[in-house]
Every structure is written in C-alpha cells, then in structure tokens.
Amino acid sequence: MSTSTRAGNSSTWRNWSGTVTARPVREAAPASADELAETVRRAAEDGLRVKTVGTGHSFTAIAATDGLLIRPELLTGIRRIDRDEMTVTVESGTPLKRLNMALAREGLSLTNMGDIMEQTVAGAVSTGTHGTGRDSASIAAQIRSLELVTADGSLLTCSEKENPDVFAAARIGLGALGVISAVTFAVEPVFLLTAREEPMSFDRVTSEFDALHTENEHFEFYWFPHTGNCNTKRNNRSAGPAAPPGRVSAWIDDELLSNGIFQVACSLGRAVPRTIPTIAKLSSQALSARTYTDIPYKVYTSPRRVRFVEMEYAVPREAAVAALREVKAMIERSPLKISFPVEVRTAPADDITLSTASGRETAYIAVHLYKGTPYRGYFTAVERIMTAHGGRPHWGKVHTRDAAYLAEVYPRFGEFTALRDRLDPDRVFGNDYLRRVLGD
C-alpha cells in the first residue's frame, strides 16, 4: 500500500483565507480509490470522523475535522477521455487548473467554470462553485457521474441511471454523503470566447440588468462601494480568430492593477479606513475598456493573489437589482468603509438537491473584505438583506444560517437529509459546520 499516513503529532491545517484552523489526530494521502476506501473504513472502525481537504478555498469550516484529515494530492490525473460520449473522468484531487490545461491540449473544454481554478475538482463541486451564465453555470451541473466512498468503506457509482437519488444530491454533497474519488464531466470541443470588459455606471447596469443578462451568454459586473461606478464583463462565443490580450496589457490589468496595486490599496485602507472612499474612486476609474478572444479557461478565470474573506448569497434573479440597491443604501447610511468591490453573477435553474440554483433562476451577490479587516458588521448587514429575499448562502463562504432556515429556502432539503441518514447514519463525515447547516 502506498497510502501515506501520519498520526499523533499531526500538523495544524489552515484554509486559504486564514479564517479556519483544524488539528486532526491523523492524516492520510491515499493514492487510489481502493486505498481511499480502506482509509475511510479503518477510520470509521477507530471511531474517527473523516473529512477531505482540497486547497482550502472555502471560507467556512466545511472541511475541518479533529479526526482523520484526508489530503487528496495523490488522487490526481485524468482516468479516461471518452470522445463518443464526450466526457472526461478525473481523479477527485486533481486541481481544476491541471484539468483545464489537460483538456485544452486534447482540444476539449468544460462549458463553464468559476473565476479561479486553484481548487480541487472534488472541493469545487462539493461546495457548489460556479461562474456566471445565462444557460450554464455551476461546475457540478456539468457532472455526468460520480464515484463515492461511503461511510462503510464501499465504492458507490451514481449517475442519472445508476443510483439517481444519490446522484441528485451528491453532485453538491458538502462532504456529508461520502468522499468523492472520481468525477465524470461532460466536455465539448474547445471553443473561443470574446470577453468585453467595460466600465459602466451603477444606475445603468441596474436599470439594464435584465437586458444585459438576456443578450449575453455570460454577464457579470463589479460595483465599487462609495462610488457610482461598475466594471462589467460580457463573455460570448466567437468564431475567432483568437486575439488574447497583449503580454504587457494583460500584466498591467491582471497583475499590476488587479493584484499588485490593489494589494497596496487594501493594506492602506485597512490601516487608514477613511482613505477607502477615495481609493475606491481611483480604483474604479483605473480600469479601462478592453476586448480579447481566447480559449475558455483563459477568459473565465483570473489570478487572485490578494487574500480576502467572502460571503455570497444566491437570490431569485428577479430580486437581484432590489437586493443590490438595498446593499448600496445600507453602506451609504452606515459608517462602514468597504474596500472590495461587490460581485454580481447569474445562473440558470438546475436540478441538484442543494444547489444554490436548485429549481430557480438565480443571481449571486458576493461581498468581500480584505484579510484581517473586521467583517462581521458588514456581512451581518448584507446577510439581513439577502435573507429577506429568500437568499441561499454559498456553502463554502461565510454565513450564519442553520438547518431551520435552510429547510425553508430549499424545497428538497428533507430529501438530502434523508439520504444522509441512509448513507452516513453514524455521521462519520460529520463536523460542527454540517451539524449547523444540516442538523443532527
């Protein structure tokens, strides 16, 4: 067996933003689905709770454990590409970046993706990672089948035809139903996207939001608090030719402005909050319009080097503008100084039990603050607005909701918890976060 296991003096695990730490009694790095199953079986026999961590990009304690921590870095790589079915089967610990690059080399692509690609495949799908899209959004909605290690150490495969009740829930399973060992995604021939980034006023974006959503395959925008300024991004399929941003202009926009200078601005804002409104005006005016055409992952994703804490809520799409205007009014009448833009994206309804877009056309409103900045006051005020609109919190981002609230906004909530009772009656995969959001 090549499973790597450490016990006793196990190291402390921290998430990317530094908001969560965990000290497991044991760690393991299985190198195959069989080893993973044996690792889970042994931990359950020893009375240990089991969680898998990816790259730690969740802001919640969804992956924290004091029992066995499974690190998936040896569960990586593409198992197979099926060009007849147009699917790719990938090991669960594979980083999305490696998957995207490998697919591109094969002339293939996922249909849609989120705005970063650092996460592992299993971490991204388990928490409902999504991009923006009129017709396609979450990564989980592109899954065609899943391989899952359940609490008794058995390997369970699910799809629309095989164990469909498990498939409906496990695509966004929160780590509560088992440990994912492999995922099969639908893919398509690689295509080109033309990205059009353009500054636009808050009033114009909000008044034209429905049209901008309808007319573009992928529309999103960022509003800079303390200003009336937004930056919009429209991504649409293109016949080509490819016209990526020039190396210098890409470095200026994606590294210097979005990471380097923004990092300095955030540090200054955290140290001297009264400077934030001025910095926001300068930041929102520094971004100029640009258009470029490239393969999907180079358009959808961007480097994110400035560390932050984030809360994101999914609201019915028709409520998005009202909710955002309420957030703007709240900030303007409060003493809050907000250094990070507010991000707005959309998703079509899907059929995944606990997807934030389950059964309804959805808009996402995400708020962020620079790492180390007190965030509870701001996030609490925003959360109050979102829950008044029936908002569903992103499973991997900061929120205070519990099972009682979530059962009200997810019509199929009981379906998920009943399946969990069947697959994991002893809560081998439980932790404090899951106890709060799913109940006992």
Side-chain angles (χ1 to χ4, degrees):
M1 265 211 174
S2 58
T3 307
S4 162
T5 304
R6 292 203 300 267
N9 298 321
S10 186
S11 58
T12 299
W13 174 82
R14 288 182 176 81
N15 68 342
W16 177 82
S17 62
T19 54
V20 178
T21 58
R23 196 167 179 83
V25 297
R26 200 151 85 201
E27 292 186 12
S32 69
D34 288 340
E35 287 182 16
L36 175 61
E38 178 60 27
T39 300
V40 170
R41 193 179 303 119
R42 202 178 315 127
E45 287 170 358
D46 293 345
L48 295 178
R49 299 205 186 282
V50 178
K51 299 308 294 181
T52 303
V53 295
T55 53
H57 273 76
S58 289
F59 299 91
T60 64
I62 192 168
T65 187
D66 56 4
L68 170 68
L69 188 78
I70 295 176
R71 295 185 180 270
E73 53 257 33
L74 301 180
L75 289 167
T76 60
I78 289 177
R79 281 192 192 176
R80 66 182 170 273
I81 292 171
D82 186 328
R83 291 184 184 272
D84 293 327
E85 295 290 329
M86 287 304 282
T87 60
V88 59
T89 301
V90 63
E91 304 285 352
S92 59
T94 308
L96 287 171
K97 184 173 186 176
R98 280 175 60 185
L99 172 61
N100 287 334
M101 293 172 77
L103 286 175
R105 285 195 297 271
E106 297 287 336
L108 300 168
S109 178
L110 296 172
T111 297
N112 200 356
M113 56 196 77
D115 58 9
I116 64 168
M117 52 179 179
E118 311 310 312
Q119 313 102 308
T120 61
V121 164
V125 301
S126 296
T127 54
T129 295
H130 62 90
T132 189
R134 182 188 62 206
D135 310 307
S136 64
S138 87
I139 298 176
Q142 298 167 68
I143 295 175
R144 291 297 168 265
S145 70
L146 273 179
E147 185 182 88
L148 197 68
V149 174
T150 56
D152 61 1
S154 58
L155 215 55
L156 184 150
T157 302
C158 60
S159 66
E160 283 185 352
K161 294 178 181 175
E162 187 178 5
N163 298 304
D165 57 333
V166 179
F167 184 66
R171 282 173 286 168
I172 299 180
L174 317 185
L177 305 177
V179 179
I180 296 171
S181 49
V183 182
T184 299
F185 290 106
V187 292
E188 59 178 300
V190 72
F191 53 94
L192 291 172
L193 284 170
T194 293
R196 183 177 164 199
E197 298 175 7
E198 181 186 3
M200 203 177 282
S201 73
F202 180 91
D203 290 343
R204 182 183 164 197
V205 174
T206 51
S207 64
E208 297 180 13
F209 177 69
D210 285 341
L212 288 162
H213 167 79
T214 302
E215 292 164 10
N216 295 282
E217 291 173 76
H218 309 275
F219 173 70
E220 65 186 302
F221 70 93
Y222 297 83
W223 165 60
F224 294 80
H226 313 294
T227 79
N229 303 329
C230 296
N231 198 45
T232 63
K233 186 174 181 180
R234 287 168 265 195
N235 298 331
N236 290 287
R237 294 194 184 215
S238 167
R247 189 170 293 178
V248 173
S249 66
W251 180 82
I252 290 171
D253 282 319
D254 297 330
E255 288 295 345
L256 182 63
L257 292 177
S258 298
N259 287 298
I261 290 177
F262 189 51
Q263 172 83 55
V264 173
C266 286
S267 299
L268 175 60
R270 186 176 65 186
V272 190
R274 69 174 183 274
T275 62
I276 287 174
T278 301
I279 292 170
K281 287 185 176 66
L282 292 171
S283 298
S284 65
Q285 290 164 359
L287 297 169
S288 56
R290 63 171 178 165
T291 301
Y292 53 95
T293 301
D294 214 329
I295 61 173
Y297 82 83
K298 295 184 179 181
V299 174
Y300 289 133
T301 69
S302 308
R304 293 277 188 270
R305 306 194 205 288
V306 180
R307 302 219 173 196
F308 53 83
V309 180
E310 180 178 1
M311 180 175 75
E312 181 177 58
Y313 263 81
V315 297
R317 188 165 57 79
E318 63 271 17
V321 169
L324 185 63
R325 284 176 175 152
E326 288 169 41
V327 171
K328 186 172 187 283
M330 178 274 293
I331 291 172
E332 287 170 352
R333 67 173 180 265
S334 79
L336 293 167
K337 298 290 182 281
I338 308 304
S339 58
F340 250 85
V342 176
E343 182 181 26
V344 180
R345 294 177 287 176
T346 67
D350 65 39
D351 64 349
I352 303 171
T353 313
L354 290 188
S355 166
T356 45
S358 183
R360 73 184 189 193
E361 293 273 325
T362 294
Y364 295 98
I365 298 177
V367 295
H368 317 65
L369 280 176
Y370 183 48
K371 182 184 172 184
T373 307
Y375 62 84
R376 294 195 189 280
Y378 176 39
F379 284 12
T380 299
V382 172
E383 190 171 42
R384 198 173 292 127
I385 292 167
M386 298 302 151
T387 54
H389 289 282
R392 299 167 176 171
H394 189 297
W395 296 109
K397 297 175 185 178
V398 175
H399 68 93
T400 67
R401 300 298 88 191
D402 62 13
Y405 174 86
L406 295 164
E408 292 178 6
V409 295
Y410 283 99
R412 298 169 67 188
F413 189 81
E415 193 181 312
F416 188 96
T417 54
L419 180 66
R420 183 191 188 207
D421 289 341
R422 177 160 67 84
L423 291 180
D424 187 17
D426 299 324
R427 303 297 187 253
V428 171
F429 303 116
N431 64 7
D432 290 343
Y433 177 81
L434 293 180
R435 191 175 300 115
R436 170 161 70 87
V437 300
L438 297 177
D440 275 331

